[in-house]
């Protein structure tokens, strides 16, 4: 999964048609940010939170636990009978998806894969997916889908690995099929007929809201659209100042009140300002105390009533994996979100959040945050995620 971010980077930066080998980020020489381009130094307290342990089944929804734990039991039962796999002499231990397809190549001698055999083989893939922060309900979905596609279906021995890879690719792409985002964000704004087009950003502290707003303001400017920022995170010390620094650097107007002011009033003033100045968009920053905080949700609901955003973007940190998915679910339940920005995929070696967050919330991923510069914002393409998995 570590190749996920490398592929995103490659898609965004390498415009040439040449297919470059995928390399791990850390293998590349570090490119120093030019001071004026760098969005912001990471302050120690804002540093990306360390990765959580991969999801233990107990951390996830109850109803989803059952099928997977049944499979684990099944795996134990089956593994008693399985003869040790023959290891080709020079072979390195394979992991994850490569292990799954390779395993099939090594062991399958018949032209169909039985249910029992499938369960045994899937347990490899299941572990790889869980380790990579893919939510359990997504693993269950892939399991059911893949089983339907390959169990007891006649497959040529020589084509087994290929067929399974194709089935897995189709299954993962299917995760996104219900929720295709408008690919062209700028066109979405232009075609909306709304002036100003109001976008509100939600998410927990440190997820990347303010940084994403700066990146989007930069994107809008590059495409000739004007905007104003609303400093509606009036709760956190330095939040207004942080947004203001971006506004100054980008030469974008910011509407701000004092700390502790009514967030909805700030947003309202920004919308009024945009109307008066005939601006194209309003970007509303919001506070991000814990999503379980009822006061915050009430404050955000009021802001939504007053500013009537046309787009409610949830900003989540890719690296927090299942936490990010839970937050997205809870923000969606509490205030309703339209789409997702998955920030910090550049520091996420796992990538499971991208597979899961859309599936769980049924909302599209609109952007990926791929770094700390203004240009580090990639539009989301499911095919790129699947390519990154080597499928
Ligand atoms: N590596 C990386 N860091 C990011 C990204 N987006 C935001 N950050 C950093 O994450 C930290 C918190 O971001 P901030 O925008 O202040 O989060 P907020 O509290 O949700 O507004 C800052 O240090 C940002 O520079 C990203 O896509 N990649
Ligand atoms: Mg902020």
């Amino acid at each position: 999964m570590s190749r996920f971010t490398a592929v995103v980077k490659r898609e965004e930066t390498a415009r040439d048609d040449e297919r470059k080998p995928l390399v791990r980020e850390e293998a590349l020489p570090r490119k120093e940010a030019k001071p004026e381009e760098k969005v912001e130094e990471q302050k120690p307290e804002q540093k990306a939170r360390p990765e959580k342990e991969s999801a233990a089944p107990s951390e996830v929804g109850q109803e989803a636990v059952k099928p997977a734990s049944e499979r684990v039991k099944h795996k134990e039962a089956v593994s008693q009978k399985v003869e040790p796999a023959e290891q080709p002499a020079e072979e390195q231990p394979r992991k994850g998806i490569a292990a799954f397809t390779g395993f099939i190549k090594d062991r399958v001698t018949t032209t169909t894969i039985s249910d029992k055999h499938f369960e045994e083989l899937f347990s490899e893939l299941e572990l790889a997916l869980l380790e990579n922060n893919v939510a359990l309900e997504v693993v269950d979905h892939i399991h059911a889908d893949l089983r339907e596609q390959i169990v007891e279906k006649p497959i040529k021995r020589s084509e087994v690995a290929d067929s399974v890879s194709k089935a897995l690719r189709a299954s993962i792409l299917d995760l996104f099929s219900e929720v295709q985002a408008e690919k062209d964000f700028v066109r979405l704004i232009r075609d909306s007929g709304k002036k100003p087009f109001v976008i509100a950003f939600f998410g927990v502290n440190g997820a990347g809201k303010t940084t994403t707003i700066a990146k989007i303001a930069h994107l809008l400017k590059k495409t000739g659209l004007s905007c104003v920022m609303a400093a509606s995170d009036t709760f956190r010390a330095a939040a207004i100042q942080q947004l203001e620094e971006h506004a100054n650097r980008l030469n974008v107007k910011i509407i701000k009140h004092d700390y502790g002011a009514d967030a909805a009033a700030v947003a309202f003033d920004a919308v009024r300002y945009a109307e008066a100045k005939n601006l194209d968009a309003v970007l509303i920053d919001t506070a991000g105390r814990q999503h379980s905080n009822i006061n915050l949700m009430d404050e955000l609901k009021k802001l939504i009533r007053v500013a009537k955003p046309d787009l409610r973007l949830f900003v989540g940190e890719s690296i927090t994996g299942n936490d990010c998915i839970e937050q997205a679910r809870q923000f969606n339940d509490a205030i309703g979100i339209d789409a997702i920005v998955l920030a910090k995929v550049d520091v996420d070696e796992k990538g499971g959040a991208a597979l899961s967050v859309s599936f769980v919330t049924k909302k599209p991923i609109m952007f990926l945050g791929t770094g700390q510069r203004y240009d580090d914002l990639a539009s989301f393409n499911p095919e790129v995620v699947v390519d990154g998995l080597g499928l």
Side-chain angles (χ1 to χ4, degrees), residues 82-127:
V82 172
E83 291 128 45
E86 295 146 40
Q87 285 262 342
E90 81 311 341
E91 194 160 298
Q92 303 259 14
R94 287 167 304 200
K95 285 196 134 184
I97 289 154
F100 179 60
T101 49
F103 207 57
I104 287 174
K105 237 186 206 159
D106 293 348
R107 293 207 184 178
V108 174
T109 50
T110 58
T111 51
T112 59
I113 297 174
S114 70
D115 201 42
K116 185 180 134 193
H117 214 146
F118 173 77
E119 291 301 336
E120 179 198 331
L121 299 172
F122 189 81
S123 62
E124 275 284 334
L125 178 65
E126 176 166 41
L127 281 182

Side-chain angles (χ1 to χ4, degrees), residues 1-10 21-25 97-98 132 348-351 384-391:
M1 295 253 187
S2 61
R3 292 187 301 171
F4 168 53
T5 54
V7 175
V8 171
K9 282 270 179 201
R10 188 192 62 204
L22 299 173
V23 284
R24 292 172 70 89
E25 285 271 85
I97 289 154
N132 281 291
D348 181 14
E349 283 292 299
K350 298 190 167 180
V384 176
V385 177
V386 181
D387 287 349
L389 297 172
L391 292 171

Side-chain angles (χ1 to χ4, degrees), residues 98-321:
F100 179 60
T101 49
F103 207 57
I104 287 174
K105 237 186 206 159
D106 293 348
R107 293 207 184 178
V108 174
T109 50
T110 58
T111 51
T112 59
I113 297 174
S114 70
D115 201 42
K116 185 180 134 193
H117 214 146
F118 173 77
E119 291 301 336
E120 179 198 331
L121 299 172
F122 189 81
S123 62
E124 275 284 334
L125 178 65
E126 176 166 41
L127 281 182
L129 292 170
L130 289 173
E131 274 168 12
N132 281 291
N133 277 341
V134 177
L136 202 56
E137 59 204 273
V138 174
V139 175
D140 283 339
H141 178 86
I142 293 174
H143 173 263
D145 197 42
L146 206 52
R147 169 196 248 154
E148 178 149 351
Q149 290 188 67
I150 62 175
V151 168
E152 303 294 357
K153 299 273 152 64
I155 308 171
K156 274 192 196 150
R157 165 89 168 82
S158 58
E159 289 171 9
V160 167
D162 205 34
S163 304
V164 173
S165 290
K166 278 194 189 127
L168 184 56
R169 183 183 175 93
S171 180
I172 292 176
L173 281 176
D174 186 53
L175 295 174
F176 301 105
S177 62
E178 282 181 47
V179 287
Q180 286 297 322
E182 167 56 66
K183 289 223 164 55
D184 189 338
F185 176 73
V186 170
R187 199 172 57 213
L188 174 74
I189 297 177
R190 287 193 202 277
D191 292 353
S192 70
K194 283 287 310 281
K195 203 165 181 177
F197 187 86
V198 180
I199 309 174
F201 295 77
F202 304 107
V204 302
N205 267 347
K209 294 179 296 298
T210 306
T211 308
T212 303
I213 288 173
K215 291 174 180 178
I216 288 183
H218 177 64
L219 171 72
L220 294 177
K221 273 195 77 174
K222 277 197 301 190
T223 51
L225 292 174
S226 52
C227 66
V228 57
M229 295 176 179
S232 291
D233 180 356
T234 58
F235 181 78
R236 201 156 61 105
I240 299 174
Q241 195 192 341
Q242 186 193 354
L243 189 69
E244 192 164 27
E245 277 168 23
H246 289 307
N248 290 342
R249 261 185 259 171
L250 292 163
N251 201 17
V252 164
K253 173 77 178 172
I254 177 173
I255 300 296
K256 55 170 187 166
H257 293 185
D258 290 334
Y259 288 113
D262 182 3
V266 181
F268 183 74
D269 281 359
V271 175
R272 283 248 295 260
Y273 179 88
E275 282 165 359
K277 302 283 178 188
N278 203 25
L279 301 181
D280 295 300
V282 179
L283 308 177
I284 304 173
D285 200 5
T286 66
R289 283 158 284 159
Q290 274 311 306
H291 45 284
S292 49
N293 182 320
I294 291 170
N295 290 339
L296 172 67
M297 288 303 169
D298 284 347
E299 180 182 299
L300 296 180
K301 281 177 191 164
K302 180 175 173 196
L303 184 146
I304 288 168
R305 277 198 308 277
V306 168
K308 299 185 180 58
D310 301 293
L311 186 66
R312 304 173 195 187
L313 285 180
F314 168 78
V315 181
E317 268 178 293
S318 181
I319 33 174
T320 56

Side-chain angles (χ1 to χ4, degrees), residues 40-43 46 204-211 215 236 242 343-344 346-347 369-372:
E40 203 209 7
E41 275 310 327
Q42 279 212 351
K43 298 185 187 89
Q46 293 179 320
V204 302
N205 267 347
K209 294 179 296 298
T210 306
T211 308
K215 291 174 180 178
R236 201 156 61 105
Q242 186 193 354
K344 309 187 194 180
D346 55 310
V347 287
T370 58
Q372 299 194 66

